[in-house]
Amino acid sequence: MASVDPAGRVALVTGATSGIGAATAALLAERGAHVLVAGRDAARGEGVVAGIRAHGGRADFLAADLRTADSVRQLAREALALGGGRVDILVNNAGIYPFGPTEQVPQSDVDAVYDVNVKAPFHLVAALAPGMAERGRGAIVNVTTQAAYYGIAGMALYGSSKAALDQLTRSWAAEYGPRGVRVNTVSPGPTRTQGTAVMGDALDELAAQAPAGRAAEPEEIAAAIAFLAGDAASFVHGARLSVDGGRTAV
Ligand code: NAP
């Protein structure tokens, strides 16, 4: 059986201390996965874990700063230790999205965006996908953004990083798919999270451009991630599921 069902599986969700990641962690746990909640903020992480446990789910918090390859590899080691030697589902959800005119973007932001949005998923997959392939099953979901698929002024850095992650989905589908590891992308549109709260009206203005005409709730994105992580998507490899209210369709 080459697919992965959340029940009884070990799932590592990055950026699970907030927004889409927290909603995904809760949903995967509700469906029976042992969820490893990764992030930097221990208070928020323990809050997510407590919420899952209060509903009878299984979860643990893993603190890690995804800015450096060493800490990413350390996260992978700790996840494997907590997972009894395996991670069956990896959700590369953590992301940062500083916006602004290209000429005003500081070098530190260029580095940070590529460290967190591109390099961290790369190192996590390098650390965890071979084990999935050896066991003949696994599911990886990369979280991108609608801003990776058309031009938005002020989002060049962010959009380009997620476009790179989207290409990694296809490359990894080719590389690990034949050994039972499904790799797919979920591409959200504007979503109400702790991270986008600072955008104020700009979030709703962006959302108004889509057929749905509104911003998403994190749970609506989590549902798509959980679908791709589970057996219901057993024949889905290398796909992008746009959950953007239709914005990239029109
Ligand atoms: P958010 O509320 O901004 O939270 C970001 C998450 O990433 C937090 O859990 C944060 O954890 C983690 N993170 C950030 N920097 C990190 C670092 N250096 N090391 C480890 N973890 C780090 O996120 P969100 O809005 O739910 O977005 C989740 C994903 O969806 C992102 O990849 C984002 O690009 C994508 N997305 C979001 C939207 C949207 O409108 N919200 C739209 C399209 C795509 P700590 O603070 O605990 O470190």
Side-chain angles (χ1 to χ4, degrees):
M1 182 76 174
S3 56
V4 171
D5 195 75
R9 304 298 179 208
V10 178
L12 172 61
V13 182
T14 67
T17 55
S18 176
I20 293 167
T24 301
L27 184 55
L28 291 176
E30 190 186 307
R31 293 185 182 174
H34 173 195
V35 180
L36 307 177
V37 171
R40 290 167 304 182
D41 189 317
R44 287 199 301 178
E46 293 298 353
V48 172
V49 166
I52 288 172
R53 290 180 181 164
H55 287 89
R58 190 165 176 212
D60 292 287
F61 173 64
L62 284 175
D65 187 336
L66 300 179
R67 282 294 311 273
T68 68
D70 282 348
S71 58
V72 174
R73 292 192 193 102
Q74 177 68 18
L75 171 63
R77 281 193 294 273
E78 289 175 7
L80 286 169
L82 268 175
R86 64 192 170 88
V87 169
D88 305 300
I89 295 166
L90 167 63
V91 181
N92 282 313
N93 165 77
I96 53 174
Y97 36 86
F99 303 140
T102 295
E103 68 274 17
Q104 292 174 20
V105 175
Q107 173 70 39
S108 55
D109 277 3
V110 178
D111 292 336
V113 166
Y114 273 78
D115 284 346
V116 176
N117 295 4
V118 184
K119 294 183 191 175
F122 190 93
H123 294 309
L124 277 178
V125 167
L128 298 174
M132 296 179 187
E134 252 172 50
R135 292 186 294 277
R137 67 181 175 203
I140 297 168
V141 182
N142 294 324
V143 179
T144 65
T145 170
Q146 67 180 34
Y149 308 102
Y150 67 102
I152 306 179
M155 297 195 193
L157 175 62
Y158 175 54
S160 68
S161 72
K162 292 294 195 174
L165 183 58
D166 189 55
Q167 176 55 25
L168 286 169
T169 290
R170 288 183 290 276
S171 302
W172 289 328
E175 188 171 349
Y176 297 109
R179 288 174 282 163
V181 184
R182 295 183 303 97
V183 188
N184 291 288
T185 289
V186 166
S187 171
T191 306
R192 284 188 210 292
T193 67
Q194 291 92 322
T196 55
V198 294
M199 289 176 69
D201 291 345
L203 188 80
D204 293 311
E205 284 160 17
L206 196 57
Q209 298 171 8
R214 64 168 176 84
E217 297 302 325
E219 290 74 16
E220 295 179 283
I221 314 299
I225 296 171
F227 163 67
L228 288 172
D231 277 354
S234 56
F235 201 53
V236 186
H237 288 244
R240 176 198 357 151
L241 179 46
S242 294
V243 192
D244 59 8
R247 178 60 185 82
T248 51
V250 297

